[in-house]
Amino acid sequence: ALPKTKRPWFGVSFIERLFFVQNLAIMLKAGLPLGDALQSLSRQVSHKNTQRIIVNITEHVENGSSFEQALKLNSAYDP
């Protein structure tokens, strides 16, 4: 298993992760740009670790990374 520092979603509840995925999907389907949707979600989550992860993902996307790359850089995606 990876150390905690390499597993940013460690300790984040399933409900919190589900909230992120479902609400991101809703915002994107409504036509909100990805960066705006991520910024909005980072302000809505209650778990500080989740907020930090979303802010990091947002920064990567806004600096030119694809969403997939941003997730990988934050160890949030492993196909």
Side-chain angles (χ1 to χ4, degrees), residues 21-34 37:
V21 172
Q22 287 182 328
N23 284 290
L24 180 61
I26 289 167
M27 291 179 191
L28 294 176
K29 285 181 185 177
L32 209 60
L34 178 59

Side-chain angles (χ1 to χ4, degrees), residues 29-46:
K29 285 181 185 177
L32 209 60
L34 178 59
D36 293 346
L38 290 168
Q39 286 178 3
S40 178
L41 284 171
S42 72
R43 291 188 299 267
Q44 294 176 30
V45 296
S46 58

